[in-house]
Amino acid sequence: MKYNNYVLLISLTAALGGLLFGFDIAIFSGTIPFIRSHFHLSDAGLGWTGSSLYLGCIIGSLLTGFITDRFGRKIPMIGAALIFTVSYIMMGWSRGYDALIVWRIIAGIGVGSASNLSPLYIAEISPAGSRGKLVSINQLAIVIGILMAYISNYFLAGIENNWRWMFASGAVPSLIFLLGVLMLPESPRWLAGRGRLRDALSVLKKISGEKEAANEIEKIETSLKTEIRGRFSDLVQPGIRAIVVIGIALAVFQQISGANAVFFYAPIIFGKAGMNVKDQLFQQILIGLINLTFTFVAMSLVDRLGRRLLMLAGSLLMAIFLLCIGIFFYFQVFGGIFLPVIVLAFIATYATTLAPVTWVLISEIFPTRIRGIAISAATTMLWTACFGLAYGFPVLIGLLDAPKTFFLFALICAVYFFVLLKFVSETKGKTLEEINSPNV
């Protein structure tokens, strides 16, 4: 139906922000063998170079909560697209190390903004029955961006100024995102919250047809009548505090589960297993392909099996695979295909479960009046955890050695399994207005 096609089109366009988010976080990994020698970086220096992006992400997440609630979803997405375009070019052609760090922080502001904006926007324009699948498009775009970065790194590795071209190559998709977002409608839920009911109804008619639009606008109006516009102080109020803690826990555990250590620092991991630079970059392409393939699997399952089951299965399987990786490093079993296969199985599990479903849950569980602020708080903590991981992993694997590092990640995933089992319940098939309980 044309309405489904329309909502799919605008979801795909908004998800280009996720594509750039994925591209930005992955492009750095391919530059590691080259910028490390170019700038003579220590383990801590490499960690700071990688993590500086996530310092910007924290800033972007904090700013976006206020901006989205005041100016809507579209204008901030335009701003994020502009930041992406400029920062990619300037990172690539930075005159020195300090300039590179500054532009990575600025680029991070765009990434942090996009991490809020794309899933929030898609959730608010999606019909309840297909919201999980549509929000998962954002994760699909992220993994496409990651794969694009890995392929770009592989083919640019052999040219002069390779790391510069790796960074600068992101300017092309960022321009496409900028042109696309200019044509997006504003979120109907934000429009209704600002009293622009006619505009909201017009958007809803294009999304779901006149009959469904009338029902939806009525539900939104009813919800808005009982709500007060949210403030950060509301996040610690009884009845809200628990759900905010759950949202933050979902965000933080996704980042410290160990998957991002593979995405960010695969050359270090495979280098310790004896692979040369070319093989390291090729393994990254395989990681990207598996990540993409199993994101499609996640999209087919998230609205059928539900969020909770996927998260439980994912955290448990990831703990097992991380334990196996640690054992391989402990016994120095690097011959054959066993280590790469287990790493790819680990990434496949993450791509099917924690990677997309975390964003679905974060976009769903908060009441409308605090949704923008609460998502901002959760993603700010997500990026804080990501900053710690990106900075700490090169140092951690140097201090603890690889086996102990992966055993630690396995323990984190095992703990997360029990947190999910006790505190997270199902949200599939419910409207955003129905999901208004701290027990989800």
Side-chain angles (χ1 to χ4, degrees):
M1 293 180 62
K2 65 178 180 178
Y3 304 115
N4 291 337
N5 289 339
Y6 179 72
V7 75
L8 177 61
L9 177 62
I10 59 178
S11 296
L12 287 170
T13 303
L16 287 173
L19 184 145
L20 293 169
F21 162 16
F23 192 96
D24 232 349
I25 65 173
I27 199 70
F28 173 72
S29 63
T31 70
I32 288 173
F34 310 111
I35 64 171
R36 187 163 201 172
S37 59
H38 184 86
F39 292 113
H40 309 290
L41 299 176
S42 63
D43 287 342
L46 181 64
W48 168 236
T49 308
S51 65
S52 56
L53 178 83
Y54 307 107
L55 180 61
C57 291
I58 297 169
I59 297 169
S61 293
L62 287 171
L63 293 175
T64 305
F66 293 105
I67 294 171
T68 54
D69 284 340
R70 183 167 184 180
F71 297 105
R73 291 26 173 167
K74 181 175 178 175
I75 290 176
M77 279 197 284
I78 294 172
L82 287 169
I83 290 172
F84 278 127
T85 305
V86 175
S87 63
Y88 277 128
I89 296 170
M90 298 306 295
M91 275 192 293
W93 301 104
S94 299
R95 290 181 177 272
Y97 179 72
D98 290 341
L100 174 63
I101 295 297
V102 168
W103 283 108
R104 278 187 64 74
I105 293 172
I106 293 172
I109 295 174
V111 175
S113 299
S115 70
N116 277 353
L117 291 165
S118 293
L120 171 63
Y121 178 84
I122 296 170
E124 292 191 338
I125 57 93
S126 300
S130 58
R131 189 177 58 248
K133 184 177 293 185
L134 289 171
V135 174
S136 294
I137 289 175
N138 183 65
Q139 181 62 28
L140 175 63
I142 291 172
V143 300
I144 291 173
I146 290 171
L147 179 59
M148 286 174 57
Y150 289 160
I151 293 172
S152 175
N153 286 341
Y154 183 78
F155 285 105
L156 292 173
I159 69 172
E160 188 178 358
N161 291 319
N162 44 25
W163 67 269
R164 294 187 181 277
W165 285 109
M166 288 175 182
F167 282 130
S169 62
V172 176
S174 65
L175 282 172
I176 296 172
F177 177 50
L178 177 59
L179 293 174
V181 78
L182 290 171
M183 297 182 285
L184 291 179
E186 184 54 83
S187 162
R189 283 177 172 79
W190 182 82
L191 290 169
R194 289 287 166 167
R196 296 168 58 182
L197 295 175
R198 184 175 296 178
D199 292 336
L201 183 60
S202 176
V203 176
L204 287 169
K205 285 179 179 178
K206 294 179 181 179
I207 291 171
S208 55
E210 292 207 19
K211 183 177 179 180
E212 281 298 318
N215 291 335
E216 191 71 14
I217 201 72
E218 186 177 337
K219 290 178 183 178
I220 293 171
E221 282 187 273
T222 301
S223 176
L224 290 171
K225 286 176 183 177
T226 61
E227 291 184 340
I228 304 169
R229 191 166 299 279
R231 299 169 296 179
F232 264 109
S233 59
D234 294 334
L235 302 184
V236 296
Q237 297 301 313
I240 297 294
R241 182 171 54 236
I243 201 170
V244 171
V245 170
I246 291 170
I248 289 173
L250 291 168
V252 170
F253 272 107
Q254 187 209 47
Q255 293 302 301
I256 63 174
S257 64
N260 282 345
V262 177
F263 289 131
F264 301 162
Y265 294 113
I268 291 178
I269 295 168
F270 289 120
K272 286 185 175 292
M275 294 185 186
N276 60 38
V277 172
K278 186 175 181 180
D279 287 341
Q280 293 167 21
L281 296 179
F282 181 72
Q283 285 295 325
Q284 284 192 304
I285 293 177
L286 292 180
I287 288 171
L289 286 170
I290 290 293
N291 196 23
L292 175 59
T293 300
F294 282 87
T295 298
F296 283 110
V297 175
M299 292 175 66
S300 70
L301 296 178
V302 67
D303 284 320
R304 285 196 291 158
L305 298 183
R307 288 56 155 155
R308 187 172 186 265
L309 179 60
L310 287 175
M311 294 289 277
L312 287 169
S315 56
L316 183 60
L317 285 172
M318 287 170 65
I320 294 169
F321 289 135
L322 285 164
L323 181 63
C324 292
I325 294 170
I327 291 170
F328 281 132
F329 273 98
Y330 184 81
F331 290 105
Q332 299 287 299
V333 182
F334 299 136
I337 64 170
F338 294 107
L339 177 61
V341 166
I342 292 295
V343 170
L344 293 176
F346 169 74
I347 293 300
T349 303
Y350 178 75
T352 309
T353 58
L354 269 65
V357 182
T358 297
W359 293 108
V360 174
L361 283 169
I362 288 174
S363 70
E364 289 180 330
I365 64 176
F366 301 115
T368 302
R369 69 183 175 92
I370 61 147
R371 186 170 296 127
I373 294 172
I375 289 178
S376 174
T379 50
T380 297
M381 292 306 299
L382 180 150
W383 291 122
T384 301
C386 193
F387 173 82
L389 176 73
Y391 182 82
F393 182 77
V395 178
L396 190 66
I397 203 168
L399 289 176
L400 293 183
D401 72 31
K404 292 176 185 175
T405 301
F406 285 107
F407 290 151
L408 176 61
F409 284 132
L411 177 62
I412 289 170
C413 286
V415 170
Y416 190 32
F417 172 81
F418 290 104
V419 170
L420 291 165
L421 191 65
K422 183 171 178 60
F423 295 108
V424 177
S425 56
E426 191 52 72
T427 61
K428 73 168 183 174
K430 299 179 182 179
T431 67
L432 294 178
E433 285 66 41
E434 289 169 343
I435 304 171
N436 198 10
S437 167
N439 296 319
V440 300

